[in-house]
Amino acid sequence: MPDERAVYPPAPAVQARAFVPSMADYEATYRRSVEDSDAFWAEQAGRLDWVTPFETVQDWSFEPGDVHIKWYEGGVLNACYNAVDRHVEAGRGGRTAFLFEPDTPGDGDRTITYSDVHAEVQRLANVLRDRGVGRGDRVTIYLPMIPEAAYAMLACARIGAIFSVVFAGFSPSALASRIEDCDSDFVITADEGRRAGRRIALKANVDAALRGCPGVRHVLVVRHTGGDVAWTEGRDVWLDEARETAAAACPCEPMGAEDPLFVLYTSGSTGTPKGVVHTTGGYCVWTSLTHELTFDYHAVEGGAAGDVFWCTADVGWITGHSYIVFGPMINGATQVFFEGTPTYPDAGRFWEVVEKHRVTQFYTAPTAIRALMAKGDEPVMRSDRSSLKVLGTVGEPINPEAWRWYHEVVGEGRCSVVDTWWQTETGGHMLTPLPGATPEKPGSATRPFFGVVPEVLSPDGERLDGEAEGLLVIARSWPGQARTVYRNHDRFVNTYFTAFPGRYFTGDGCRRDADGDYWITGRVDDVLNVSGHRMGTAEVESALVLHEAVAEAAVVGVPHDIKGQGIYVYVTLVEGADATDALRDELRRHVRATIGPIATPDFVQFAPGLPKTRSGKIMRRILRKIGENAPDQLGDTSTLADPDVVASLVQNRRNQP
Ligand code: WT7
């Protein structure tokens, strides 16, 4: 049980210049944001430049028969215009947008201004347009962490194309299913990516994926490493060649506030990943406001160049969409854009970059903090971190020990730590401290952001007030909320609005303490969170049963010191297959190749049988406890069809791969 008595008051240096400088301010604004919601959100829309003002602020319903979510209807705007053009038009084109930090230090670092982004995005938009891409078309982006990834997203937004970024760590088959699902006929990739000094064959992965996607007309390839690639004439196009014949200027397409901006695939407890749809107006308001307040980001400081923001996420995840590309850029932020990894060339890399660019706000995942904490304090101490003001975390619960190390060692005890809880579906921060206002507690995401109304429910849907533990739901819409699942609104309704009608169900468990602070306890469904990456147990199981030696598979998450959760796999083999260490390795490689390295099982246990109820349902609760090495907590096993199965599973539990 985390220690709730440990309360860290707002850091004085942060508070002195904070946009929200006290709890009284937070509470007054929060009250207004929910009690006078239309007025509050109408005012916040003023953060953006609109072509046509909106007519209605909000129109939504969470009732299962009528789920719809609309914000700022009637409004017309362009997301790319707001993130790029308006800064240039206001004479701020010379401001640094990106401080590009390559995988290997010194190997191609450069400074990119808003004017540079403006020019590159327009060229790229014209390359797409010249090839017939327009409003509403789906473009798949499979790129490493290079500035072109941001240009590609912004170029699509500029011409009204819907982009779908697929994390470059996903396998060809995972890429193919995401291309197929949204019926995309245009892919943007690079020759290769770089990762910790190694090269990743991205174009080759696209080639493999497209063997199953005959509908793709063009593959636009960024020349990044200069590595050799195979080439399909007529289909493949080098970006550096195509941009030479593209016009320099490309107008912004006027888009409706509710026109889709992007689709992003995320895992659920069942089935294939869902294409979560975010739209234009509300998403831009939400990401811009949350970026500014959660990180207390000041674009200009006393008339001089302002803060330097660094979010270490990959643009393949929602964190990169919301807190690298849209939120910060709409706010005209200067950011570190990082191609690398936390421990390459060594565990001091993050802090060297912080010193080099005088980073003020740093945002990363608990898994990275735990991995670095394990390397000791020396790599941190080597660099000057005096520029830091706010340290953020996202993606999974942070254990109080890691929180304290982050606060004390990295932040020298003088920075705010913001533990931000949110999801792909929420578009941006939902529960988070505000630096300068909220007292922080290690392990707690503390309070709701403006406009967010969280509730804790019992499993049968009863609202629990005061101090309580249960299921986390959100009682009303917010501008950044996902609107639907791409071409599958029924799945959207069933996943989020059916368990508790009238509420958005998050899938997370949560506790509210006596002070009203929220503590996320983790997923309550069959979704794993491995190093902050979300994965369905069903996806890993489907991958396993594709292997010829596997008859049946069950996957559970188990506690893991660095990753938060590890993947524990039980497999029943087909007649005649040999339960060998070599097969174990092969199955791990097989899952890795089918989904991607992030899905590689940590433990593979051969199981002669799986614990099932008499109706044939696998009892995961029991498998989870065996994986956790808690055989004394198996609970009631009397409903099992064959209780003997359990004893043999306990006896053969794996504590190595
Ligand atoms: C799930 C959403 C949000 C962007 C990255 C992950 C877990 C996220 C926290 C946090 C505890 C967290 C939840 C959530 N999660 N942030 N601060 N504390 N848990 O987005 O892939 O959509 O995953 O990540 O379980 O439901 P995602």
Side-chain angles (χ1 to χ4, degrees):
M1 179 61 44
D3 181 6
E4 281 169 22
R5 287 161 307 179
V7 179
Y8 292 70
V14 175
Q15 191 164 38
R17 62 159 207 172
F19 289 119
V20 184
S22 72
M23 233 15 208
D25 277 288
Y26 162 78
E27 269 152 14
T29 307
Y30 179 77
R31 220 171 301 120
R32 197 168 155 253
S33 75
V34 295
E35 286 168 11
D36 202 1
S37 171
D38 272 359
F40 181 83
W41 289 114
E43 193 180 302
Q44 288 306 327
R47 313 178 64 78
L48 304 181
D49 284 337
W50 299 78
V51 177
T52 310
F54 54 87
E55 283 151 18
T56 356
V57 177
Q58 53 189 308
D59 168 15
W60 54 268
S61 161
F62 286 179
E63 294 306 322
D66 181 33
V67 172
H68 67 274
I69 299 155
K70 291 176 178 166
W71 286 83
Y72 304 120
E73 264 205 305
V76 175
L77 76 166
N78 184 283
C80 178
Y81 178 84
N82 277 281
V84 184
D85 299 54
R86 63 169 178 167
H87 306 310
V88 177
E89 287 175 14
R92 296 189 295 265
R95 185 185 288 176
T96 300
F98 299 144
L99 296 152
F100 178 67
E101 236 343 277
D103 184 46
T104 297
D107 185 18
D109 39 337
R110 56 193 187 272
T111 297
I112 298 160
T113 65
Y114 273 92
S115 290
D116 296 336
V117 174
H118 191 222
E120 289 306 322
V121 167
Q122 291 191 82
R123 291 274 183 196
L124 179 43
N126 279 329
V127 167
L128 299 177
R129 240 187 204 169
D130 293 347
R131 283 160 187 79
V133 179
R135 265 183 105 97
D137 295 340
R138 276 82 53 221
V139 173
T140 301
I141 298 173
Y142 185 70
L143 282 171
M145 274 300 289
I146 53 178
E148 285 80 359
Y151 305 158
M153 294 160 78
L154 291 163
C156 289
R158 190 170 192 91
I159 62 174
I162 304 169
F163 56 87
S164 161
V165 184
V166 178
F167 173 56
F170 278 121
S171 69
S173 70
L175 171 62
S177 65
R178 286 157 173 80
I179 290 171
E180 290 277 278
D181 184 84
C182 69
D183 209 0
S184 156
D185 67 1
F186 205 104
V187 178
I188 306 179
T189 191
D191 45 8
E192 296 175 312
R194 295 186 204 272
R195 194 177 159 78
R198 289 174 290 115
R199 291 179 176 207
I200 314 290
L202 297 180
K203 172 62 165 60
N205 282 355
V206 172
D207 291 338
L210 294 195
R211 278 177 216 127
C213 307
V216 172
R217 295 185 295 120
H218 284 300
V219 178
L220 184 62
V221 188
V222 177
R223 209 185 300 270
H224 178 45
T225 64
D228 283 341
V229 294
W231 206 251
T232 302
E233 281 308 327
R235 186 195 72 182
D236 299 347
V237 179
W238 283 111
L239 173 62
D240 55 6
E241 290 170 9
R243 77 186 286 295
E244 293 307 310
T245 54
C250 175
C252 291
E253 190 75 18
M255 303 302 289
E258 283 299 339
D259 281 335
L261 178 61
F262 64 88
V263 174
L264 182 57
Y265 287 85
T266 193
S267 300
S269 50
T270 56
T272 51
K274 294 179 284 283
V276 165
V277 177
H278 282 284
T279 58
T280 308
Y283 176 80
C284 288
V285 170
W286 189 248
T287 53
S288 136
L289 179 65
T290 50
H291 170 258
E292 182 169 275
L293 298 189
T294 300
F295 300 111
D296 195 45
Y297 183 85
H298 296 252
V300 182
E301 186 71 48
D307 293 347
V308 176
F309 182 73
W310 182 12
C311 165
T312 69
D314 191 288
V315 292
W317 310 111
I318 190 70
T319 308
H321 284 59
S322 300
Y323 299 110
I324 296 177
V325 180
F326 290 98
M329 294 192 77
I330 290 168
N331 294 341
T334 294
Q335 305 183 72
V336 173
F337 195 106
F338 185 52
E339 187 190 24
T341 49
T343 50
Y344 175 78
D346 64 44
R349 184 73 193 277
F350 275 174
W351 324 119
E352 277 159 24
V353 175
V354 164
E355 173 176 327
K356 174 172 168 191
H357 295 302
R358 303 291 297 161
V359 171
T360 34
Q361 290 93 349
F362 178 76
Y363 193 31
T364 198
T367 189
I369 299 169
R370 288 190 298 263
L372 294 175
M373 185 169 74
K375 307 269 183 197
D377 299 356
E378 187 277 328
V380 185
M381 300 307 199
R382 246 192 263 153
S383 303
D384 175 62
R385 282 119 39 239
S386 59
S387 58
L388 289 171
K389 291 186 188 304
V390 179
L391 300 171
T393 77
V394 58
E396 44 172 332
I398 181 162
N399 46 311
E401 194 196 352
W403 193 101
R404 287 201 186 86
W405 185 81
Y406 200 30
H407 182 262
E408 274 147 37
V409 179
V410 175
E412 301 173 309
R414 53 169 181 77
C415 298
S416 283
V417 174
V418 292
D419 174 357
T420 63
W421 174 86
W422 57 295
Q423 308 177 300
T424 303
E425 296 88 336
T426 71
H429 305 149
M430 297 292 280
L431 299 173
T432 178
L434 297 185
T438 318
E440 294 149 17
K441 296 176 183 175
S444 171
T446 71
R447 299 298 175 100
F449 192 80
F450 299 140
V452 174
V453 181
E455 287 180 356
V456 179
L457 303 186
S458 72
D460 48 18
E462 184 200 345
R463 197 181 79 200
L464 307 172
D465 294 322
E467 213 180 330
E469 177 155 359
L471 305 169
L472 179 65
V473 299
I474 311 294
R476 50 185 302 165
S477 186
W478 62 98
Q481 183 172 22
R483 304 302 197 248
T484 191
V485 167
Y486 192 72
R487 288 185 183 162
N488 198 345
H489 196 62
D490 285 350
R491 195 167 174 202
F492 184 66
V493 176
N494 290 335
T495 308
Y496 306 108
F497 302 96
T498 307
F500 306 107
R503 301 285 183 270
Y504 165 78
F505 179 43
T506 64
D508 279 309
C510 152
R511 197 164 57 83
R512 191 195 299 110
D513 70 17
D515 300 330
D517 288 316
Y518 292 83
W519 302 72
I520 301 296
T521 53
R523 300 289 304 197
V524 295
D525 50 12
D526 290 322
V527 170
L528 305 176
N529 190 326
V530 181
S531 300
H533 301 315
R534 181 166 154 186
M535 216 172 314
T537 50
E539 281 169 76
V540 183
E541 288 162 5
S542 311
L544 284 162
V545 297
L546 286 176
H547 192 278
E548 57 185 11
V550 176
E552 194 171 33
V555 172
V556 296
V558 292
H560 187 289
D561 283 348
I562 304 287
K563 301 184 190 181
Q565 268 190 322
I567 303 178
Y568 196 107
V569 165
Y570 297 86
V571 284
T572 306
L573 299 178
V574 296
E575 262 325 296
D578 285 336
T580 60
D581 282 342
L583 180 56
R584 249 192 276 274
D585 284 346
E586 192 178 314
L587 291 177
R588 297 176 75 235
R589 277 199 306 273
H590 167 77
V591 174
R592 190 186 164 92
T594 308
I595 303 176
I598 57 172
T600 311
D602 294 280
F603 307 97
V604 178
Q605 176 171 356
F606 295 123
L610 295 171
K612 292 183 184 168
T613 60
R614 285 181 202 103
S615 61
K617 194 174 174 298
I618 294 175
M619 292 186 75
R620 288 167 186 285
R621 172 178 58 83
I622 291 176
L623 292 176
R624 233 174 268 133
K625 289 295 171 195
I626 295 172
E628 279 171 25
N629 200 16
D632 50 325
Q633 295 168 27
L634 295 184
D636 183 12
T637 54
S638 64
T639 54
L640 283 177
D642 175 10
D644 293 345
V645 146
V646 172
S648 119
L649 289 176
V650 169
Q651 209 161 33
N652 294 303
R653 176 181 171 272
R654 301 285 304 172
N655 53 17
Q656 50 184 317

